[in-house]
Amino acid sequence: MLTGSSKLTTKVLVVGSGGREHALLQTLQRTSKLPLSLFSAPGNGGISQLATCVPIPANDILALLRFARAENIDLTIVGPEGPLADGIVDEFEGSGLKIIGPSRAAARLEASKSFAKDFMQRHEIPTAPYAVANSAGEAVAALRSGKFGPPESAVVVKADGLAAGKGVVVARSHDEAERAVVELLSGSLVAPQAAQHLVIEAALAGREVSVLLFADGRDYVLMPAARDHKRIGENDTGPNTGGMGAITDAKLIDSETLNRIVRDIVVPTLEGAVAEGFPFRGILFIGLMLTATGPQVLEYNVRFGDPETQAVLVRLQTDLWRIFQAMITGKLGDIDVDWSEQASACVVLASGGYPGAYETGVVISGLERLAASDSLQVFHAGTEKSRNGDFVTSGGRVLGVTSTGTTLVEALRTCYEAIGEVNWKGMQYRRDIGRFSESHEW
Ligand code: AMP
Ligand code: GLY
């Protein structure tokens, strides 16, 4: 007779509803040797094809906890930053449940940019010179102090708190920066609680790259370096978005630079977290600028990136469930994690109007023509299944067409050929994913 404890499958819950979460679930299913029973809260139309979607919002920590307890979930993985900053990991662990993500204390590395900058300063981690301001007056005084060069130099103004990518203004002059200060504090760009403090920092020039890693509080495993495209328009024009595409490619970082990133940034960050009493267990995503004088940290995120995750995980060869288990048991140092020796690309298909207002409920055609294969995956971000079984749009970013190839050019070709099969009214995407206008000249 089966009892409650002798379950046949291992139950995994992924919190979130985007392409990142679809990629996590699909990779668990693809790589795991164990029979996994997959759940997602709240999930999306595409996710519902491989997991049971539970209608609990990602930020409703208590409802998620009740569900995980009632359903005997063996492991929860958290996609978005909001619940991490709100302490979902502390709540779950306090109830004896296993969960992948940093504690609330460690999540401050993303949830407060001033905390992150002060942390980097304490641990001598290379990052742009900065000042923290608690009012418009303090911000203007910092800008006029001379610390950020002459008035015509570029400077970056950042809201301290979580702002879904809308809290950073790269200003081309101090005048523009002063206007950004007023705008950020007015509440028109970001919620007022995100802009209680501002970080002003020098603008860095160079090539941006993202390094993600798995960490168990002591050891870490790097993922392939990635690069994303944040702007809506081709040639990096127009407003910022959640991310319109991402690539991985061995050519992104040479081994000498990577060694330097590990020595000067990754190790001091993880050791600094231990020294300050919040050992980092979870996914750390370090946004870097490769400047003429070496790599510098732009930001920390304490979670998988979206759409970087889609481009990174299609190359994973090792059982993702085993990696998560090793993170939970502090044995990450004991396992080998393998990645295919390929390049990869994820091209995001978005609703017309995004990142501004857009229509939803639009029927997507052609998806059935795209059979997933070893080299092609279509991850859903903003889709729902309608009553008659069609996929319809339900968000700004709708699909992430993702592929691998021997070269980046080949991966991109596979993506764009597949995109030719899909359509809906208003669909937009960038045709220049993987082509970067190098080195911003401020
Ligand atoms: P963050 O959320 O802090 O990574 O900022 C979002 C984006 O703003 C980054 O991906 C960069 O493109 C840009 N950015 C942030 N800080 C700087 C900086 N100090 N210099 C130049 N660009 C920056
Ligand atoms: N693609 C950037 C992020 O996930 O924050």
Side-chain angles (χ1 to χ4, degrees), residues 110 113 117 127-129 154-159 164-171 200-206 208-210 228 230-231 240 285-289 291 296-301 303 440 442:
E110 175 167 0
K113 289 189 188 288
K117 292 294 281 191
T127 189
V155 63
V156 186
V157 185
K158 301 182 176 185
K166 299 196 181 79
V168 174
V169 178
V170 181
I200 317 280
E201 68 179 50
L204 299 173
E208 270 190 74
V209 64
S210 302
D228 77 337
K230 292 196 171 63
R231 307 282 184 144
N240 264 334
F285 164 150
I286 311 179
L288 299 157
M289 188 74 91
T291 73
Q296 306 229 16
V297 178
L298 294 176
E299 65 166 342
Y300 292 115
N301 294 315
R303 53 173 172 83
H440 311 281
W442 302 120

mmCIF file of all heavy atoms in Angstrom, residues 110 113 117 127-129 154-159 164-171 200-206 208-210 228 230-231 240 285-289 291 296-301 303 440 442, ligand 1:
data_model
loop_
_atom_site.group_PDB
_atom_site.id
_atom_site.type_symbol
_atom_site.label_atom_id
_atom_site.label_comp_id
_atom_site.label_asym_id
_atom_site.label_seq_id
_atom_site.Cartn_x
_atom_site.Cartn_y
_atom_site.Cartn_z
ATOM 1 N N GLU A 110 20.455 42.569 -4.499
ATOM 2 C CA GLU A 110 19.659 43.076 -5.625
ATOM 3 C C GLU A 110 18.620 44.100 -5.171
ATOM 4 O O GLU A 110 18.356 45.082 -5.878
ATOM 5 C CB GLU A 110 18.931 41.926 -6.345
ATOM 6 C CG GLU A 110 18.008 42.455 -7.445
ATOM 7 C CD GLU A 110 17.483 41.412 -8.416
ATOM 8 O OE1 GLU A 110 17.820 40.218 -8.271
ATOM 9 O OE2 GLU A 110 16.724 41.795 -9.330
ATOM 10 N N LYS A 113 20.270 48.879 -4.207
ATOM 11 C CA LYS A 113 21.498 49.181 -4.953
ATOM 12 C C LYS A 113 22.525 49.877 -4.058
ATOM 13 O O LYS A 113 23.724 49.705 -4.244
ATOM 14 C CB LYS A 113 21.180 50.016 -6.184
ATOM 15 C CG LYS A 113 20.448 49.202 -7.269
ATOM 16 C CD LYS A 113 20.325 49.958 -8.559
ATOM 17 C CE LYS A 113 19.440 49.249 -9.577
ATOM 18 N NZ LYS A 113 20.061 48.041 -10.149
ATOM 19 N N LYS A 117 26.291 48.596 -3.476
ATOM 20 C CA LYS A 117 27.479 49.428 -3.713
ATOM 21 C C LYS A 117 28.343 49.499 -2.444
ATOM 22 O O LYS A 117 29.569 49.381 -2.516
ATOM 23 C CB LYS A 117 27.072 50.843 -4.143
ATOM 24 C CG LYS A 117 26.422 50.945 -5.507
ATOM 25 C CD LYS A 117 27.310 50.603 -6.687
ATOM 26 C CE LYS A 117 28.248 51.690 -7.095
ATOM 27 N NZ LYS A 117 28.896 51.405 -8.410
ATOM 28 N N THR A 127 33.913 48.511 -9.063
ATOM 29 C CA THR A 127 32.622 49.046 -9.496
ATOM 30 C C THR A 127 32.788 50.549 -9.688
ATOM 31 O O THR A 127 33.767 51.129 -9.199
ATOM 32 C CB THR A 127 31.523 48.697 -8.452
ATOM 33 O OG1 THR A 127 30.247 49.038 -8.988
ATOM 34 C CG2 THR A 127 31.722 49.410 -7.124
ATOM 35 N N ALA A 128 31.850 51.188 -10.365
ATOM 36 C CA ALA A 128 31.998 52.624 -10.643
ATOM 37 C C ALA A 128 31.933 53.434 -9.355
ATOM 38 O O ALA A 128 31.178 53.095 -8.439
ATOM 39 C CB ALA A 128 30.875 53.071 -11.581
ATOM 40 N N PRO A 129 32.702 54.558 -9.276
ATOM 41 C CA PRO A 129 32.585 55.462 -8.121
ATOM 42 C C PRO A 129 31.132 55.916 -7.978
ATOM 43 O O PRO A 129 30.432 56.080 -8.989
ATOM 44 C CB PRO A 129 33.474 56.650 -8.514
ATOM 45 C CG PRO A 129 34.346 56.169 -9.612
ATOM 46 C CD PRO A 129 33.647 55.038 -10.277
ATOM 47 N N ALA A 154 28.905 62.027 -18.699
ATOM 48 C CA ALA A 154 27.751 61.157 -18.464
ATOM 49 C C ALA A 154 27.784 60.631 -17.038
ATOM 50 O O ALA A 154 28.857 60.459 -16.443
ATOM 51 C CB ALA A 154 27.784 59.997 -19.449
ATOM 52 N N VAL A 155 26.610 60.407 -16.495
ATOM 53 C CA VAL A 155 26.504 59.911 -15.129
ATOM 54 C C VAL A 155 25.208 59.106 -15.036
ATOM 55 O O VAL A 155 24.273 59.329 -15.808
ATOM 56 C CB VAL A 155 26.572 61.108 -14.134
ATOM 57 C CG1 VAL A 155 25.423 62.050 -14.324
ATOM 58 C CG2 VAL A 155 26.680 60.680 -12.707
ATOM 59 N N VAL A 156 25.183 58.129 -14.134
ATOM 60 C CA VAL A 156 24.026 57.228 -14.064
ATOM 61 C C VAL A 156 23.292 57.469 -12.753
ATOM 62 O O VAL A 156 23.922 57.568 -11.698
ATOM 63 C CB VAL A 156 24.497 55.754 -14.168
ATOM 64 C CG1 VAL A 156 23.309 54.809 -14.247
ATOM 65 C CG2 VAL A 156 25.387 55.570 -15.391
ATOM 66 N N VAL A 157 21.974 57.590 -12.839
ATOM 67 C CA VAL A 157 21.158 57.804 -11.645
ATOM 68 C C VAL A 157 20.268 56.578 -11.476
ATOM 69 O O VAL A 157 19.579 56.168 -12.410
ATOM 70 C CB VAL A 157 20.280 59.070 -11.787
ATOM 71 C CG1 VAL A 157 19.540 59.351 -10.483
ATOM 72 C CG2 VAL A 157 21.124 60.266 -12.181
ATOM 73 N N LYS A 158 20.295 55.982 -10.270
ATOM 74 C CA LYS A 158 19.559 54.732 -10.053
ATOM 75 C C LYS A 158 18.678 54.839 -8.814
ATOM 76 O O LYS A 158 19.133 55.304 -7.768
ATOM 77 C CB LYS A 158 20.542 53.568 -9.829
ATOM 78 C CG LYS A 158 21.503 53.339 -10.975
ATOM 79 C CD LYS A 158 22.406 52.139 -10.719
ATOM 80 C CE LYS A 158 23.286 51.875 -11.931
ATOM 81 N NZ LYS A 158 24.110 50.657 -11.784
ATOM 82 N N ALA A 159 17.448 54.384 -8.954
ATOM 83 C CA ALA A 159 16.596 54.224 -7.773
ATOM 84 C C ALA A 159 17.162 53.067 -6.965
ATOM 85 O O ALA A 159 17.609 52.065 -7.531
ATOM 86 C CB ALA A 159 15.169 53.925 -8.204
ATOM 87 N N ALA A 164 11.896 46.820 -11.556
ATOM 88 C CA ALA A 164 11.650 46.086 -12.809
ATOM 89 C C ALA A 164 12.365 46.720 -14.006
ATOM 90 O O ALA A 164 11.803 46.856 -15.088
ATOM 91 C CB ALA A 164 10.142 45.988 -13.076
ATOM 92 N N GLY A 165 13.603 47.115 -13.795
ATOM 93 C CA GLY A 165 14.412 47.650 -14.899
ATOM 94 C C GLY A 165 14.133 49.104 -15.241
ATOM 95 O O GLY A 165 14.776 49.665 -16.118
ATOM 96 N N LYS A 166 13.161 49.737 -14.545
ATOM 97 C CA LYS A 166 12.814 51.117 -14.919
ATOM 98 C C LYS A 166 13.519 52.158 -14.050
ATOM 99 O O LYS A 166 13.330 53.354 -14.233
ATOM 100 C CB LYS A 166 11.300 51.317 -14.797
ATOM 101 C CG LYS A 166 10.519 50.398 -15.719
ATOM 102 C CD LYS A 166 9.072 50.866 -15.882
ATOM 103 C CE LYS A 166 8.304 49.928 -16.788
ATOM 104 N NZ LYS A 166 7.864 48.707 -16.103
ATOM 105 N N GLY A 167 14.326 51.701 -13.101
ATOM 106 C CA GLY A 167 14.885 52.627 -12.121
ATOM 107 C C GLY A 167 16.272 53.135 -12.445
ATOM 108 O O GLY A 167 16.914 53.741 -11.594
ATOM 109 N N VAL A 168 16.754 52.901 -13.665
ATOM 110 C CA VAL A 168 18.118 53.341 -14.005
ATOM 111 C C VAL A 168 18.060 54.317 -15.177
ATOM 112 O O VAL A 168 17.484 54.007 -16.211
ATOM 113 C CB VAL A 168 19.009 52.126 -14.385
ATOM 114 C CG1 VAL A 168 20.378 52.589 -14.868
ATOM 115 C CG2 VAL A 168 19.152 51.184 -13.199
ATOM 116 N N VAL A 169 18.656 55.483 -15.002
ATOM 117 C CA VAL A 169 18.734 56.461 -16.106
ATOM 118 C C VAL A 169 20.205 56.737 -16.384
ATOM 119 O O VAL A 169 20.940 57.178 -15.492
ATOM 120 C CB VAL A 169 18.020 57.785 -15.739
ATOM 121 C CG1 VAL A 169 18.155 58.787 -16.880
ATOM 122 C CG2 VAL A 169 16.550 57.531 -15.413
ATOM 123 N N VAL A 170 20.636 56.438 -17.595
ATOM 124 C CA VAL A 170 22.001 56.785 -17.998
ATOM 125 C C VAL A 170 21.919 58.173 -18.634
ATOM 126 O O VAL A 170 21.384 58.332 -19.727
ATOM 127 C CB VAL A 170 22.566 55.752 -19.003
ATOM 128 C CG1 VAL A 170 24.002 56.111 -19.384
ATOM 129 C CG2 VAL A 170 22.517 54.341 -18.419
ATOM 130 N N ALA A 171 22.399 59.178 -17.906
ATOM 131 C CA ALA A 171 22.258 60.570 -18.354
ATOM 132 C C ALA A 171 23.531 61.008 -19.060
ATOM 133 O O ALA A 171 24.638 60.661 -18.639
ATOM 134 C CB ALA A 171 21.986 61.473 -17.151
ATOM 135 N N ILE A 200 23.982 57.592 -7.299
ATOM 136 C CA ILE A 200 24.533 58.320 -8.444
ATOM 137 C C ILE A 200 25.870 57.645 -8.726
ATOM 138 O O ILE A 200 26.659 57.447 -7.794
ATOM 139 C CB ILE A 200 24.846 59.797 -8.088
ATOM 140 C CG1 ILE A 200 23.743 60.437 -7.254
ATOM 141 C CG2 ILE A 200 25.222 60.609 -9.306
ATOM 142 C CD1 ILE A 200 22.568 60.899 -7.991
ATOM 143 N N GLU A 201 26.118 57.265 -9.967
ATOM 144 C CA GLU A 201 27.432 56.660 -10.224
ATOM 145 C C GLU A 201 28.002 57.086 -11.562
ATOM 146 O O GLU A 201 27.269 57.482 -12.471
ATOM 147 C CB GLU A 201 27.401 55.141 -10.056
ATOM 148 C CG GLU A 201 26.621 54.378 -11.064
ATOM 149 C CD GLU A 201 26.677 52.863 -10.818
ATOM 150 O OE1 GLU A 201 26.427 52.411 -9.701
ATOM 151 O OE2 GLU A 201 26.957 52.141 -11.787
ATOM 152 N N ALA A 202 29.325 57.010 -11.653
ATOM 153 C CA ALA A 202 30.011 57.377 -12.892
ATOM 154 C C ALA A 202 29.592 56.405 -13.990
ATOM 155 O O ALA A 202 29.394 55.214 -13.726
ATOM 156 C CB ALA A 202 31.523 57.316 -12.677
ATOM 157 N N ALA A 203 29.447 56.909 -15.205
ATOM 158 C CA ALA A 203 29.107 56.043 -16.340
ATOM 159 C C ALA A 203 30.363 55.322 -16.803
ATOM 160 O O ALA A 203 31.424 55.926 -16.935
ATOM 161 C CB ALA A 203 28.533 56.881 -17.472
ATOM 162 N N LEU A 204 30.229 54.024 -17.010
ATOM 163 C CA LEU A 204 31.354 53.218 -17.474
ATOM 164 C C LEU A 204 31.184 52.943 -18.956
ATOM 165 O O LEU A 204 30.053 52.769 -19.428
ATOM 166 C CB LEU A 204 31.389 51.882 -16.725
ATOM 167 C CG LEU A 204 31.560 51.970 -15.212
ATOM 168 C CD1 LEU A 204 31.405 50.583 -14.589
ATOM 169 C CD2 LEU A 204 32.944 52.531 -14.873
ATOM 170 N N ALA A 205 32.291 52.868 -19.677
ATOM 171 C CA ALA A 205 32.232 52.538 -21.101
ATOM 172 C C ALA A 205 32.850 51.161 -21.300
ATOM 173 O O ALA A 205 33.783 50.789 -20.593
ATOM 174 C CB ALA A 205 32.992 53.570 -21.909
ATOM 175 N N GLY A 206 32.321 50.412 -22.233
ATOM 176 C CA GLY A 206 32.870 49.094 -22.513
ATOM 177 C C GLY A 206 31.802 48.168 -23.030
ATOM 178 O O GLY A 206 30.773 48.602 -23.529
ATOM 179 N N GLU A 208 29.156 45.076 -22.237
ATOM 180 C CA GLU A 208 28.440 44.484 -21.102
ATOM 181 C C GLU A 208 28.381 42.976 -21.238
ATOM 182 O O GLU A 208 28.214 42.442 -22.341
ATOM 183 C CB GLU A 208 26.999 45.009 -21.078
ATOM 184 C CG GLU A 208 26.851 46.265 -20.281
ATOM 185 C CD GLU A 208 25.385 46.624 -20.067
ATOM 186 O OE1 GLU A 208 24.699 45.962 -19.255
ATOM 187 O OE2 GLU A 208 24.944 47.560 -20.741
ATOM 188 N N VAL A 209 28.469 42.300 -20.119
ATOM 189 C CA VAL A 209 28.347 40.844 -20.140
ATOM 190 C C VAL A 209 27.778 40.390 -18.801
ATOM 191 O O VAL A 209 27.940 41.079 -17.789
ATOM 192 C CB VAL A 209 29.731 40.217 -20.472
ATOM 193 C CG1 VAL A 209 30.737 40.511 -19.416
ATOM 194 C CG2 VAL A 209 29.624 38.739 -20.711
ATOM 195 N N SER A 210 27.055 39.276 -18.818
ATOM 196 C CA SER A 210 26.461 38.772 -17.572
ATOM 197 C C SER A 210 27.064 37.430 -17.220
ATOM 198 O O SER A 210 27.172 36.553 -18.078
ATOM 199 C CB SER A 210 24.953 38.563 -17.741
ATOM 200 O OG SER A 210 24.350 39.769 -18.122
ATOM 201 N N ASP A 228 22.616 40.252 -22.976
ATOM 202 C CA ASP A 228 21.224 40.484 -23.388
ATOM 203 C C ASP A 228 21.080 41.817 -24.096
ATOM 204 O O ASP A 228 21.997 42.643 -24.115
ATOM 205 C CB ASP A 228 20.260 40.363 -22.200
ATOM 206 C CG ASP A 228 20.276 41.579 -21.294
ATOM 207 O OD1 ASP A 228 21.280 42.314 -21.286
ATOM 208 O OD2 ASP A 228 19.284 41.788 -20.578
ATOM 209 N N LYS A 230 18.615 44.991 -24.003
ATOM 210 C CA LYS A 230 17.555 45.531 -23.144
ATOM 211 C C LYS A 230 16.575 46.436 -23.882
ATOM 212 O O LYS A 230 15.414 46.529 -23.510
ATOM 213 C CB LYS A 230 18.177 46.329 -22.002
ATOM 214 C CG LYS A 230 18.935 45.451 -21.045
ATOM 215 C CD LYS A 230 19.218 46.139 -19.734
ATOM 216 C CE LYS A 230 19.771 45.160 -18.729
ATOM 217 N NZ LYS A 230 21.076 44.588 -19.129
ATOM 218 N N ARG A 231 17.047 47.132 -24.918
ATOM 219 C CA ARG A 231 16.180 48.131 -25.558
ATOM 220 C C ARG A 231 15.185 47.474 -26.504
ATOM 221 O O ARG A 231 15.484 46.452 -27.107
ATOM 222 C CB ARG A 231 17.016 49.128 -26.359
ATOM 223 C CG ARG A 231 18.106 49.773 -25.584
ATOM 224 C CD ARG A 231 17.563 50.852 -24.724
ATOM 225 N NE ARG A 231 18.652 51.535 -24.056
ATOM 226 C CZ ARG A 231 18.641 52.837 -23.826
ATOM 227 N NH1 ARG A 231 17.621 53.580 -24.205
ATOM 228 N NH2 ARG A 231 19.641 53.379 -23.190
ATOM 229 N N ASN A 240 13.890 50.942 -22.483
ATOM 230 C CA ASN A 240 14.315 49.659 -21.936
ATOM 231 C C ASN A 240 13.125 48.714 -21.796
ATOM 232 O O ASN A 240 11.999 49.144 -21.593
ATOM 233 C CB ASN A 240 14.920 49.865 -20.552
ATOM 234 C CG ASN A 240 16.427 49.968 -20.633
ATOM 235 O OD1 ASN A 240 17.046 49.447 -21.554
ATOM 236 N ND2 ASN A 240 17.015 50.639 -19.659
ATOM 237 N N PHE A 285 23.676 36.484 -10.277
ATOM 238 C CA PHE A 285 23.778 36.990 -11.649
ATOM 239 C C PHE A 285 24.521 38.308 -11.518
ATOM 240 O O PHE A 285 24.048 39.239 -10.876
ATOM 241 C CB PHE A 285 22.351 37.150 -12.142
ATOM 242 C CG PHE A 285 22.086 37.975 -13.376
ATOM 243 C CD1 PHE A 285 21.001 37.651 -14.174
ATOM 244 C CD2 PHE A 285 22.840 39.075 -13.740
ATOM 245 C CE1 PHE A 285 20.683 38.401 -15.297
ATOM 246 C CE2 PHE A 285 22.539 39.826 -14.864
ATOM 247 C CZ PHE A 285 21.446 39.484 -15.638
ATOM 248 N N ILE A 286 25.725 38.369 -12.090
ATOM 249 C CA ILE A 286 26.536 39.575 -11.962
ATOM 250 C C ILE A 286 26.554 40.288 -13.313
ATOM 251 O O ILE A 286 27.011 39.723 -14.314
ATOM 252 C CB ILE A 286 27.973 39.238 -11.504
ATOM 253 C CG1 ILE A 286 27.929 38.298 -10.288
ATOM 254 C CG2 ILE A 286 28.746 40.509 -11.175
ATOM 255 C CD1 ILE A 286 29.301 37.881 -9.785
ATOM 256 N N GLY A 287 26.024 41.500 -13.335
ATOM 257 C CA GLY A 287 26.055 42.318 -14.547
ATOM 258 C C GLY A 287 27.369 43.087 -14.553
ATOM 259 O O GLY A 287 27.692 43.789 -13.594
ATOM 260 N N LEU A 288 28.142 42.937 -15.627
ATOM 261 C CA LEU A 288 29.488 43.503 -15.659
ATOM 262 C C LEU A 288 29.678 44.416 -16.861
ATOM 263 O O LEU A 288 29.063 44.212 -17.904
ATOM 264 C CB LEU A 288 30.510 42.369 -15.804
ATOM 265 C CG LEU A 288 30.546 41.346 -14.688
ATOM 266 C CD1 LEU A 288 31.152 40.046 -15.196
ATOM 267 C CD2 LEU A 288 31.374 41.887 -13.532
ATOM 268 N N MET A 289 30.567 45.384 -16.701
ATOM 269 C CA MET A 289 31.052 46.159 -17.845
ATOM 270 C C MET A 289 32.526 45.814 -17.974
ATOM 271 O O MET A 289 33.291 45.954 -17.005
ATOM 272 C CB MET A 289 30.863 47.658 -17.579
ATOM 273 C CG MET A 289 31.149 48.522 -18.790
ATOM 274 S SD MET A 289 29.834 48.418 -20.027
ATOM 275 C CE MET A 289 28.765 49.758 -19.519
ATOM 276 N N THR A 291 35.576 47.117 -18.980
ATOM 277 C CA THR A 291 36.114 48.440 -19.307
ATOM 278 C C THR A 291 37.581 48.309 -19.715
ATOM 279 O O THR A 291 38.203 47.254 -19.543
ATOM 280 C CB THR A 291 36.032 49.405 -18.106
ATOM 281 O OG1 THR A 291 37.027 49.019 -17.154
ATOM 282 C CG2 THR A 291 34.670 49.374 -17.444
ATOM 283 N N GLN A 296 34.154 45.578 -14.278
ATOM 284 C CA GLN A 296 33.560 46.276 -13.136
ATOM 285 C C GLN A 296 32.109 45.830 -12.995
ATOM 286 O O GLN A 296 31.435 45.582 -13.997
ATOM 287 C CB GLN A 296 33.564 47.774 -13.380
ATOM 288 C CG GLN A 296 34.939 48.290 -13.722
ATOM 289 C CD GLN A 296 35.313 49.513 -12.894
ATOM 290 O OE1 GLN A 296 34.698 49.809 -11.880
ATOM 291 N NE2 GLN A 296 36.323 50.212 -13.325
ATOM 292 N N VAL A 297 31.628 45.792 -11.770
ATOM 293 C CA VAL A 297 30.253 45.329 -11.532
ATOM 294 C C VAL A 297 29.273 46.480 -11.763
ATOM 295 O O VAL A 297 29.419 47.560 -11.188
ATOM 296 C CB VAL A 297 30.087 44.806 -10.086
ATOM 297 C CG1 VAL A 297 28.641 44.368 -9.842
ATOM 298 C CG2 VAL A 297 31.039 43.650 -9.828
ATOM 299 N N LEU A 298 28.249 46.220 -12.600
ATOM 300 C CA LEU A 298 27.152 47.185 -12.767
ATOM 301 C C LEU A 298 26.058 46.899 -11.752
ATOM 302 O O LEU A 298 25.434 47.805 -11.217
ATOM 303 C CB LEU A 298 26.551 47.078 -14.167
ATOM 304 C CG LEU A 298 27.436 47.460 -15.344
ATOM 305 C CD1 LEU A 298 26.708 47.186 -16.654
ATOM 306 C CD2 LEU A 298 27.825 48.930 -15.257
ATOM 307 N N GLU A 299 25.789 45.622 -11.552
ATOM 308 C CA GLU A 299 24.707 45.262 -10.632
ATOM 309 C C GLU A 299 24.800 43.784 -10.279
ATOM 310 O O GLU A 299 25.395 42.994 -11.005
ATOM 311 C CB GLU A 299 23.343 45.503 -11.272
ATOM 312 C CG GLU A 299 23.091 44.618 -12.472
ATOM 313 C CD GLU A 299 21.650 44.570 -12.960
ATOM 314 O OE1 GLU A 299 20.740 44.947 -12.212
ATOM 315 O OE2 GLU A 299 21.448 44.123 -14.094
ATOM 316 N N TYR A 300 24.175 43.456 -9.143
ATOM 317 C CA TYR A 300 23.939 42.052 -8.799
ATOM 318 C C TYR A 300 22.447 41.777 -8.964
ATOM 319 O O TYR A 300 21.618 42.613 -8.582
ATOM 320 C CB TYR A 300 24.239 41.788 -7.325
ATOM 321 C CG TYR A 300 25.683 41.876 -6.907
ATOM 322 C CD1 TYR A 300 26.097 42.872 -6.018
ATOM 323 C CD2 TYR A 300 26.619 40.941 -7.333
ATOM 324 C CE1 TYR A 300 27.413 42.940 -5.585
ATOM 325 C CE2 TYR A 300 27.940 41.011 -6.903
ATOM 326 C CZ TYR A 300 28.326 42.010 -6.029
ATOM 327 O OH TYR A 300 29.630 42.064 -5.591
ATOM 328 N N ASN A 301 22.125 40.599 -9.483
ATOM 329 C CA ASN A 301 20.763 40.075 -9.358
ATOM 330 C C ASN A 301 20.893 38.761 -8.610
ATOM 331 O O ASN A 301 21.901 38.060 -8.749
ATOM 332 C CB ASN A 301 20.124 39.838 -10.727
ATOM 333 C CG ASN A 301 19.895 41.138 -11.477
ATOM 334 O OD1 ASN A 301 19.418 42.112 -10.901
ATOM 335 N ND2 ASN A 301 20.252 41.171 -12.743
ATOM 336 N N ARG A 303 19.080 35.954 -8.767
ATOM 337 C CA ARG A 303 18.144 35.019 -9.397
ATOM 338 C C ARG A 303 18.595 34.787 -10.824
ATOM 339 O O ARG A 303 19.495 35.462 -11.328
ATOM 340 C CB ARG A 303 16.767 35.675 -9.413
ATOM 341 C CG ARG A 303 16.932 37.052 -10.063
ATOM 342 C CD ARG A 303 15.696 37.801 -10.328
ATOM 343 N NE ARG A 303 16.018 39.139 -10.771
ATOM 344 C CZ ARG A 303 16.339 39.482 -12.010
ATOM 345 N NH1 ARG A 303 16.371 38.569 -12.961
ATOM 346 N NH2 ARG A 303 16.628 40.731 -12.323
ATOM 347 N N HIS A 440 29.874 51.729 -25.555
ATOM 348 C CA HIS A 440 29.175 53.003 -25.468
ATOM 349 C C HIS A 440 30.200 54.112 -25.283
ATOM 350 O O HIS A 440 31.076 53.997 -24.466
ATOM 351 C CB HIS A 440 28.247 53.020 -24.253
ATOM 352 C CG HIS A 440 27.400 51.811 -24.172
ATOM 353 N ND1 HIS A 440 26.281 51.639 -24.921
ATOM 354 C CD2 HIS A 440 27.528 50.691 -23.414
ATOM 355 C CE1 HIS A 440 25.743 50.480 -24.642
ATOM 356 N NE2 HIS A 440 26.474 49.872 -23.743
ATOM 357 N N TRP A 442 30.490 57.618 -23.945
ATOM 358 C CA TRP A 442 29.676 58.619 -23.238
ATOM 359 C C TRP A 442 30.205 60.010 -23.506
ATOM 360 O O TRP A 442 31.359 60.236 -23.544
ATOM 361 C CB TRP A 442 29.668 58.355 -21.744
ATOM 362 C CG TRP A 442 29.150 57.008 -21.435
ATOM 363 C CD1 TRP A 442 29.822 56.025 -20.784
ATOM 364 C CD2 TRP A 442 27.885 56.485 -21.762
ATOM 365 N NE1 TRP A 442 29.040 54.919 -20.700
ATOM 366 C CE2 TRP A 442 27.845 55.178 -21.283
ATOM 367 C CE3 TRP A 442 26.755 56.984 -22.421
ATOM 368 C CZ2 TRP A 442 26.742 54.347 -21.427
ATOM 369 C CZ3 TRP A 442 25.663 56.166 -22.570
ATOM 370 C CH2 TRP A 442 25.666 54.880 -22.079
HETATM 371 P P1 AMP B 1 21.500 48.000 -13.550
HETATM 372 O O1 AMP B 1 20.063 47.656 -13.280
HETATM 373 O O2 AMP B 1 22.169 48.694 -12.428
HETATM 374 O O3 AMP B 1 22.311 46.915 -14.169
HETATM 375 O O4 AMP B 1 21.414 49.025 -14.777
HETATM 376 C C1 AMP B 1 20.705 48.699 -15.964
HETATM 377 C C2 AMP B 1 21.528 49.034 -17.168
HETATM 378 O O5 AMP B 1 21.963 50.387 -17.100
HETATM 379 C C3 AMP B 1 22.808 48.221 -17.275
HETATM 380 O O6 AMP B 1 22.605 46.978 -17.857
HETATM 381 C C4 AMP B 1 23.667 49.132 -18.122
HETATM 382 O O7 AMP B 1 23.313 49.013 -19.482
HETATM 383 C C5 AMP B 1 23.275 50.497 -17.644
HETATM 384 N N1 AMP B 1 24.195 50.936 -16.570
HETATM 385 C C6 AMP B 1 24.051 50.758 -15.239
HETATM 386 N N2 AMP B 1 25.089 51.287 -14.551
HETATM 387 C C7 AMP B 1 25.904 51.822 -15.469
HETATM 388 C C8 AMP B 1 27.158 52.506 -15.404
HETATM 389 N N3 AMP B 1 27.750 52.778 -14.242
HETATM 390 N N4 AMP B 1 27.702 52.902 -16.568
HETATM 391 C C9 AMP B 1 27.126 52.667 -17.752
HETATM 392 N N5 AMP B 1 25.945 52.012 -17.878
HETATM 393 C C10 AMP B 1 25.343 51.598 -16.770
#
